[in-house]
Amino acid sequence: MRTETRAEDLRTAVRTARARGATVGLVPTMGALHAGHLSLVDHARSDCDLVVVSVFVNPLQFGPGEDYETYPRDLDGDARRLADHGAHVLFAPDAATFTPTAAATTVHVAGLTEHLEGASRPGHFDGVATIVTKLVAVAEPDRAYFGEKDYQQLCVIRRLVADLALPGEVVACPIVRDADGLALSSRNAYLSAAERDRALALPRALGDVAAAWDGDADAARTRLAGALEAAQGVTCDYAEIADPDTLAPLHGRVAGPARALAAVWAGPRESPTRLIDNVALPAVAAAG
Ligand code: PAF
């Protein structure tokens, strides 16, 4: 595996491989890689000849008071894990060069970014959309891989790629969970054992909603919000039943598939950890 730190060197490496007929997979990450990220790398490896993984803690997607400074960083460990999983190129630019303060361009995806995560984290998706656009512009992938854990991000990126006719197919990969059900996230490292235990209310509530799903979106929303509001040690930010593509809230009986999405704060009130999770709700067959 080779490491590149400059956009122009990554572009040359990718173009050289492509000239030899290689297909290119891009896995954008912010590092502190866990089994969820590595599953994206494995998917990319099975589909593509050249797998590029970016590790970049993107300052543009952190708001004031968020954890940009303390976000876990472990580039040497990440490089070892990526080499073990057969990645070919690690792209690790530095923030001053890749996100210069003089840059004047921001990518904004309207509508989709304004509720759910967007309501609590203003500007977050502009930061994500801007950096993903830049990564795709540099790597020109045939496929780019994103996890379903950040489901709204996935919808935003699909929309962005379609609207701007960016190269590459967006490939969604399933959520990877620990044995206790908690979705893997680099931020889980912030939780103590007791806090983590209480955070399990999130996957449990989503699992219960999926098990009880009969197509009644309002009942499912009430059930999800009720379970999270009743849970000890977590504070519910949102609990939503939404269209799986547009993320518009659904009401009444819905025939087609839906997505249940929720966010909670866990851990101490002074420095809580934000956890998000979601689950697919399948189409319900019409009676008769
Ligand atoms: O999901 C992430 O880790 C980030 O939001 C991404 C897509 C790498 C953009 O910085």
Side-chain angles (χ1 to χ4, degrees):
M1 186 180 74
R2 62 199 272 186
T3 299
E4 301 294 356
T5 57
R6 295 170 1 131
E8 50 273 41
D9 293 338
L10 175 63
R11 183 174 279 131
T12 304
V14 167
R15 288 189 176 172
T16 306
R18 191 182 288 289
R20 290 197 305 264
T23 54
V24 179
L26 172 67
V27 182
T29 82
M30 295 208 299
L33 301 179
H34 51 61
H37 298 112
L38 297 171
S39 78
L40 304 182
V41 176
D42 294 343
H43 275 96
R45 276 280 291 158
S46 65
D47 294 346
C48 305
D49 303 315
L50 183 86
V51 173
V52 177
V53 182
S54 61
V55 169
F56 181 62
V57 184
N58 170 24
L60 305 179
Q61 68 187 77
F62 290 79
E66 290 191 346
D67 54 346
Y68 174 66
E69 299 297 341
T70 55
Y71 194 83
R73 288 164 171 84
D74 176 19
L75 191 58
D76 291 342
D78 288 344
R80 278 195 299 277
R81 285 182 275 274
L82 290 173
D84 286 349
H85 280 255
H88 302 98
V89 184
L90 163 59
F91 179 52
D94 74 78
T97 317
F98 205 55
T99 47
T101 44
T105 304
T106 298
V107 179
H108 176 68
V109 179
L112 257 179
T113 56
E114 267 120 52
H115 64 326
L116 304 171
E117 286 304 288
S120 292
R121 306 186 67 191
H124 168 68
F125 286 119
D126 289 0
V128 171
T130 302
I131 216 68
V132 169
T133 302
K134 190 158 180 173
L135 288 167
V136 168
V138 173
E140 300 169 334
D142 294 282
R143 299 187 187 87
Y145 295 79
F146 297 90
E148 288 187 334
K149 209 242 333 142
D150 295 298
Y151 192 80
Q152 188 175 13
Q153 168 174 286
L154 173 66
C155 295
V156 168
I157 290 167
R158 278 191 175 129
R159 188 64 200 259
L160 158 75
V161 167
D163 286 355
L164 298 184
L166 294 181
E169 176 196 348
V170 174
V171 181
C173 299
I175 298 174
V176 178
R177 298 180 182 280
D178 262 327
D180 58 12
L182 196 65
L184 295 192
S185 161
S186 305
R187 290 192 170 100
N188 293 353
Y190 299 152
L191 300 173
S192 69
E195 289 160 359
R196 190 196 154 90
D197 230 41
R198 291 194 283 270
L200 294 178
L202 178 57
R204 218 176 279 134
L206 285 162
D208 289 348
V209 161
W213 174 241
D214 62 357
D216 184 338
D218 294 315
R221 182 182 296 102
T222 303
R223 186 185 191 105
L224 182 58
L228 293 175
E229 275 152 23
Q232 298 290 308
V234 298
T235 305
C236 179
D237 182 25
Y238 61 78
E240 191 53 277
I241 309 297
D243 179 279
D245 300 317
T246 65
L247 295 184
L250 295 172
H251 294 284
R253 292 224 150 256
V254 295
R259 201 90 192 178
L261 306 107
V264 299
W265 296 101
R269 195 180 288 272
E270 325 75 73
S271 57
T273 298
R274 186 177 181 79
L275 299 175
I276 59 173
D277 200 349
N278 67 88
V279 68
L281 303 174
V284 174

